[in-house]
Amino acid sequence: MNLVYQGKTKDVYALEDGNYLLKFKDDVTGVNGVFDPGANTVGLSMEGAGKAGLRLTKFFFEKLNQMGIPTHFIDADLDQVTMTVKKAAPFGKGLEVICRFRAVGSFLRRYEMYAEDGQALDALVEVTLKDDDRNDPPISKDALDMLGILSKEEYEILKDLTKQIGNIVKDELAKKGLELYDIKFEFGRVGEDHHIALIDEISGGNMRAYRNNTRVEPLELTKIMVQED
Amino acid sequence: MNLVYQGKTKDVYALEDGNYLLKFKDDVTGVNGVFDPGANTVGLSMEGAGKAGLRLTKFFFEKLNQMGIPTHFIDADLDQVTMTVKKAAPFGKGLEVICRFRAVGSFLRRYEMYAEDGQALDALVEVTLKDDDRNDPPISKDALDMLGILSKEEYEILKDLTKQIGNIVKDELAKKGLELYDIKFEFGRVGEDHHIALIDEISGGNMRAYRNNTRVEPLELTKIMVQED
């Protein structure tokens, strides 16, 4: 088992059978000790954050797999805090795909001239480049195509999957009285047919969830969403 | 004749017949005395810049009108350095629409992780908000629609017109041995049917033109493109 990549919130190991093992860490993105799913830096370490992230990811990925929505998920080991996944090729050097139900975060900062803070958005999909040095610039369907990162056909698949999965997460949260403001996904090309599949995770670290207008932090979110075993 | 708006490079007067008069100034956008069509500040004043801008604008707008491509242009008075135009309503508080044939300027700065300096682009259209405080953020078709700035149908018309006009300007420059790298347009809603029309100007101040890999400055561009009367 070879360590092939050390990420901000998880490490990636190559398995001998061609699959990969993701080891979830207790680091979460943020700035100066304050959690922010849109941040590019590890802002703080929270004991149990890795396990909580994995637990919620397992919950959602199993649900998506059952629904026939393509993901890279194979299984998870909560004791080891690891997840086994299929091999996935990123788009270019990696994209982030955001599904927005309310105008907050970077969307609001960019479009404050028009958007009201917290204004409802109808599963608005945005794609940004993973590029810390340039602060993850948003990029259009046409530019993605012209730079050879994602074809126009793939963009439409990606966008449809994002809306679909975003709404599934939103509905699951709503069942527990929570409101999803926005959520960030990663996708990749999986399998011999290079089909587009959801990769990475679905956890409190990648979304903004609110209860009675109060932000629900990642650890709390897992507790609310998934009963302890 | 009432002064209704003072812009960076031109002033706008309301005429009694409902049309508007644009008075071209000798100021051009740039930073620290260096011309930059993508800049948001007046960088320098060049004697004759207003007249040169108007002369080239007249050349292109008359051509577009003849071709049946909608513009706000009625006529121009080179001695007074003014242009009479139809009333146009902006999209929101104003959009800039860029047509790119090579990766330079803000596109390159944003997507440097993928784009080569000067890489050919196939009339790539980008829309940005006119918002100096937020450095003219790019905005997608979906976000423009959701924020009520431009419908999806209008976006497609705007994009088609931009490609069409961008290619017309590119071809005209090519006839004189010049290469168009990128060009910035403004559009508005004109007439009782609110049809989308090109507004503002088409001049050296809004494009990057090159001859033998050397940038052609605005005054020089007009001289090359339009014979003096």
Side-chain angles (χ1 to χ4, degrees), chain A residues 92-94 109-114 119 122 124 129-131 134 137-139 142-143 146-147 149 159, chain B residues 92-94 109-114 122 124 129-131 134 137-139 142-143 146-147 149 159:
Chain A
K93 290 155 195 162
R109 287 194 295 275
R110 256 184 275 129
Y111 306 133
E112 215 166 3
M113 195 186 251
Y114 296 91
Q119 173 182 338
D122 183 18
L124 179 70
L129 298 182
K130 284 184 99 164
D131 185 350
R134 291 170 197 85
I139 185 163
D142 290 342
M146 226 167 272
L147 292 174
I149 302 169
K159 184 172 149 179
Chain B
K93 290 157 195 161
R109 287 195 295 276
R110 256 183 274 127
Y111 305 133
E112 215 165 4
M113 195 186 250
Y114 296 92
D122 184 17
L124 178 71
L129 297 182
K130 284 184 99 165
D131 184 350
R134 291 169 197 85
I139 184 161
D142 290 341
M146 226 166 272
L147 292 175
I149 302 169
K159 184 171 149 179

Side-chain angles (χ1 to χ4, degrees), chain A residues 126-139:
Chain A
E126 289 192 318
V127 180
T128 68
L129 298 182
K130 284 184 99 164
D131 185 350
D132 291 356
D133 292 342
R134 291 170 197 85
N135 209 15
D136 293 349
I139 185 163

Side-chain angles (χ1 to χ4, degrees), chain A:
Chain A
M1 178 164 108
N2 284 319
L3 178 67
V4 291
Y5 178 73
Q6 283 196 294
K8 282 171 203 139
T9 61
K10 61 184 87 64
D11 294 332
V12 181
Y13 297 86
L15 298 175
E16 287 183 1
D17 62 4
N19 292 325
Y20 286 81
L21 193 79
L22 307 183
K23 171 86 179 171
F24 283 56
K25 302 195 279 195
D26 282 345
D27 297 328
V28 297
T29 56
V31 178
N32 297 328
V34 179
F35 166 64
D36 177 356
N40 269 331
T41 48
V42 169
L44 65 166
S45 189
M46 292 193 288
E47 203 186 321
K51 193 164 184 172
L54 178 59
R55 194 183 290 271
L56 198 53
T57 297
K58 179 175 185 284
F59 170 77
F60 279 117
F61 275 67
E62 284 176 347
K63 186 171 289 290
L64 294 174
N65 280 359
Q66 279 162 20
M67 296 173 81
I69 293 172
T71 79
H72 71 157
F73 181 83
I74 297 173
D75 58 39
D77 183 330
L78 290 174
D79 292 328
Q80 297 294 319
V81 201
T82 58
M83 180 164 100
T84 307
V85 299
K86 293 178 208 162
K87 183 175 177 168
F91 303 109
K93 290 155 195 162
L95 300 178
E96 291 189 339
V97 188
I98 303 136
C99 189
R100 301 184 180 278
F101 297 98
R102 287 198 180 271
V104 293
S106 65
F107 181 89
L108 184 65
R109 287 194 295 275
R110 256 184 275 129
Y111 306 133
E112 215 166 3
M113 195 186 251
Y114 296 91
E116 303 264 324
D117 188 355
Q119 173 182 338
L121 299 172
D122 183 18
L124 179 70
V125 176
E126 289 192 318
V127 180
T128 68
L129 298 182
K130 284 184 99 164
D131 185 350
D132 291 356
D133 292 342
R134 291 170 197 85
N135 209 15
D136 293 349
I139 185 163
S140 71
K141 174 179 168 180
D142 290 342
L144 285 163
D145 176 56
M146 226 167 272
L147 292 174
I149 302 169
L150 196 67
S151 74
K152 290 184 185 183
E153 294 72 29
E154 284 178 319
Y155 183 93
E156 290 304 328
I157 294 168
L158 188 83
K159 184 172 149 179
D160 285 348
L161 283 173
T162 300
K163 280 177 183 264
Q164 213 179 331
I165 301 166
N167 275 306
I168 289 166
V169 175
K170 184 172 187 276
D171 291 347
E172 286 299 322
L173 264 64
K175 287 180 191 170
K176 306 281 180 170
L178 304 180
E179 186 183 346
L180 180 64
Y181 278 25
D182 58 24
I183 182 162
K184 188 171 71 179
F185 299 112
E186 288 188 40
F187 290 87
R189 296 185 184 96
V190 169
E192 290 186 2
D193 60 352
H194 305 286
H195 67 271
I196 294 180
L198 185 70
I199 65 170
D200 198 46
E201 62 181 271
I202 298 183
S203 77
N206 296 83
M207 66 178 87
R208 289 187 179 87
Y210 280 73
R211 183 159 57 178
N212 303 326
N213 300 314
T214 304
R215 178 73 173 274
V216 177
E217 297 301 323
L219 288 176
E220 177 71 8
L221 183 69
T222 294
K223 270 191 207 145
I224 296 170
M225 294 300 298
V226 193
Q227 298 295 329
E228 297 292 326
D229 297 334

